[in-house]
Amino acid sequence: MSKINELVATLNAITDKNIFEIYIPSLKRTVKFRPLTAKQQRAFYTCVNEKTVFNTQFILTTFNIIKGCCTESNLIPVFNIFDRAAILIALRVNTLGNLITVLKDEQEFTVDLTDCLQQFKSLELPICKDIAVQNILINLQIPTLLEQYELEKELRDKEIDTMPFSSLLEDIITGEVCKLIKEINIEQVAVGYKNLNFKDKATVVESLPASIVFELQDFAQNVNTKLSECLTCPVKDNDTIAFDITVDFFLDR
């Protein structure tokens, strides 16, 4: 057993020597990350047959991988979904290389992910303006990596593929809105929204005035549009092509 422990310690030491830097958009600086281990890479195969539309298992898996690879553990609650995208792309490049094949209009294109990573360095994140209606003030935020994980872990870490489409759509919209709220203030008093579990957060969101929810949905669309732009790379003839970060992203060269 001692020899095994010594061997594992040696391998871990080698991994630490191969630490590399990833640019984090929200911090506007680089953070050091360990490369993926074989165990972490193998974890992606647990997501291959995922049936839910939420990609819950993939979200949980990638959160644990980012947490395991980041050398500054105190930053995990700070990272947002734009940081998540930058980190996952960089981890993929470090593990499988910078080129991927993307299908567009039934034609295959080879995309260089380093072009995508470069875009993060000049990225201007969406502005989180407050929403005020009557005596209610909503402080907005870009969804965080941790809250994305906690929502999936609390509400969706189970089989829900039998849910009717209308219920799925409602669940998606409510979940997206929940993650956008940092705090709710009523008559200038904070209600402690951030300390609620996501089931209770959903109940609060459903009780908000419709005008506030529509503004929250507009902000969500702005965030999602900006994130989609980050997952776009140039191809020939001044064209661009978009890709998704899914489990296949980490399994195919």
Side-chain angles (χ1 to χ4, degrees):
M1 182 62 71
S2 60
K3 290 186 177 179
I4 293 296
N5 292 337
E6 290 175 5
L7 177 56
V8 170
T10 300
L11 292 173
N12 288 337
I14 293 174
T15 296
D16 288 340
K17 288 182 180 179
N18 291 319
I19 283 174
F20 64 104
E21 295 183 340
I22 298 177
Y23 183 82
I24 306 299
S26 69
L27 302 179
K28 296 189 180 301
R29 69 172 176 89
T30 60
V31 173
K32 293 181 179 180
F33 281 77
R34 303 175 187 88
L36 288 179
T37 65
K39 182 178 181 180
Q40 289 171 327
Q41 177 68 28
R42 192 171 66 247
F44 287 117
Y45 287 95
T46 65
C47 310
V48 170
N49 296 319
E50 185 166 19
K51 297 178 181 179
T52 70
V53 298
F54 305 106
N55 293 321
T56 297
Q57 193 57 47
F58 182 67
I59 289 172
L60 300 182
T61 298
T62 51
F63 172 85
N64 288 323
I65 286 174
I66 290 172
K67 183 178 179 181
C69 291
C70 184
T71 63
E72 297 183 51
S73 58
N74 61 301
L75 294 178
I76 299 301
V78 177
F79 291 149
N80 63 35
I81 57 174
F82 289 90
D83 302 328
R84 174 183 183 269
I87 293 167
L88 292 179
I89 293 170
L91 287 173
R92 197 275 181 197
V93 169
N94 184 263
T95 306
L96 296 173
N98 60 304
L99 300 180
I100 62 168
T101 300
V102 181
L103 188 66
K104 180 180 181 182
D105 299 329
E106 299 183 353
Q107 183 178 356
E108 289 186 347
F109 293 88
T110 298
V111 172
D112 190 340
L113 292 173
T114 55
D115 293 333
C116 189
L117 287 174
Q118 199 64 28
Q119 294 181 88
F120 282 106
K121 295 182 179 181
S122 58
L123 174 65
E124 293 296 330
L125 295 174
I127 299 174
C128 300
K129 295 181 179 179
D130 293 339
I131 299 174
V133 174
Q134 298 177 357
N135 60 343
I136 301 175
L137 178 68
I138 307 291
N139 304 133
L140 297 180
Q141 66 174 4
I142 296 172
T144 67
L145 171 73
L146 180 59
E147 288 179 317
Q148 183 188 50
Y149 169 84
E150 289 178 339
L151 183 147
E152 298 299 329
K153 187 69 176 176
E154 180 184 334
L155 300 182
R156 300 168 179 167
D157 192 16
K158 56 185 180 296
E159 292 293 334
I160 54 174
D161 53 312
T162 58
M163 185 183 294
F165 177 76
S166 58
S167 297
L168 283 172
L169 184 59
E170 182 181 355
D171 195 15
I172 291 171
I173 293 173
T174 301
E176 288 299 305
V177 170
C178 284
K179 292 183 292 184
L180 295 171
I181 299 175
K182 184 176 183 179
E183 184 56 277
I184 298 176
N185 303 272
I186 299 177
E187 296 182 347
Q188 300 183 345
V189 178
V191 303
Y193 175 87
K194 61 183 178 181
N195 298 321
L196 300 176
N197 60 43
F198 274 96
K199 185 177 180 180
D200 290 340
K201 285 181 179 180
T203 300
V204 171
V205 165
E206 290 171 349
S207 302
L208 290 173
S211 57
I212 289 181
V213 176
F214 281 125
E215 288 197 56
L216 284 165
Q217 290 176 0
D218 288 342
F219 181 64
Q221 184 176 7
N222 182 24
V223 170
N224 290 332
T225 298
K226 179 70 74 169
L227 185 58
S228 296
E229 291 173 358
C230 294
L231 305 182
T232 303
C233 287
V235 290
K236 63 180 182 179
D237 300 326
N238 295 321
D239 197 4
T240 60
I241 192 168
F243 62 91
D244 292 323
I245 301 178
T246 64
V247 64
D248 292 338
F249 189 70
F250 289 93
L251 301 179
D252 296 335
R253 283 189 176 275

